[in-house]
């Protein structure tokens, strides 16, 4: 039950962050950010098995790996932007967090254009 360990660690980090917030706000932010990074590093190992599964499914479906790579980049942008925006919000910078999210949405749109074009080309092949 790894999630129990992760939640326990998160609760301890949240408590430490809350206790230090009054005296040393910078330490509170450092604790919160470090906890987020540690939790991410703890679960990133599962990402390899998910990626291998997706590659296997893509190859079985006879789909180009370029599309999977683009999709994985889009997912990566979304996760990294969410993490960055949450850190900004924890630091009290909601405006910057909003800009991070906006930039991520724009980058995702740009990255998705080739996928959208491929889908539209496929649809147009079926239309007489």
């Amino acid at each position: 039950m790894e999630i129990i360990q992760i939640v326990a660690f998160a609760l301890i980090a949240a408590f430490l962050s809350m206790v230090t917030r009054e005296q040393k706000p910078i330490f509170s932010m450092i604790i919160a950010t470090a906890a987020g990074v540690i939790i991410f590093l703890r679960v990133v190992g599962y990402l390899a098995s998910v990626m291998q599964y997706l590659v296997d499914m893509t190859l079985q479906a006879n789909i180009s790996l370029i599309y999977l790579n683009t999709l994985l980049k889009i997912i990566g942008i979304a996760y990294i932007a969410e993490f960055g925006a949450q850190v900004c919000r924890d630091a009290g910078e909601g405006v910057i967090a909003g800009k991070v999210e906006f930039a991520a949405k724009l980058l995702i749109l740009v990255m998705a254009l080739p996928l959208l074009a491929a889908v539209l080309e496929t649809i147009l092949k079926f239309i007489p």
Side-chain angles (χ1 to χ4, degrees):
M1 291 298 234
E2 191 158 356
I3 191 64
I4 293 172
Q5 294 173 347
I6 292 170
V7 170
F9 174 75
L11 291 173
I12 291 168
F15 177 75
L16 290 173
S17 178
M18 189 175 64
V19 168
T20 58
R21 185 171 293 129
E22 292 296 321
Q23 301 298 322
K24 300 281 184 178
I26 189 73
F27 287 143
S28 175
M29 189 181 88
I30 291 171
I31 290 170
T33 303
V37 169
I38 290 169
I39 291 170
F40 174 75
L41 293 175
R42 180 77 187 254
V43 297
V44 77
Y46 294 109
L47 193 57
S49 61
V50 170
M51 288 181 56
Q52 186 59 49
Y53 177 76
L54 290 173
V55 168
D56 292 343
M57 296 248 326
T58 302
L59 292 175
Q60 285 179 358
N62 201 21
I63 299 172
S64 174
L65 287 177
I66 293 172
Y67 299 122
L68 178 62
N69 288 338
T70 303
L71 182 63
L72 291 175
K73 287 177 186 178
I74 289 171
I75 293 169
I77 290 170
Y79 281 131
I80 291 168
E82 178 67 22
F83 180 76
Q86 287 178 5
V87 169
C88 290
R89 281 194 188 86
D90 289 344
E93 296 297 332
V95 173
I96 296 174
K99 300 306 184 255
V100 169
E101 291 171 339
F102 175 75
K105 289 172 186 175
L106 185 59
L107 290 172
I108 287 171
L109 177 63
V110 169
M111 299 267 326
L113 285 177
L115 294 176
L116 181 61
V119 168
L120 289 176
E121 286 176 12
T122 303
I123 291 171
L124 290 175
K125 287 179 184 178
F126 290 116
I127 297 174

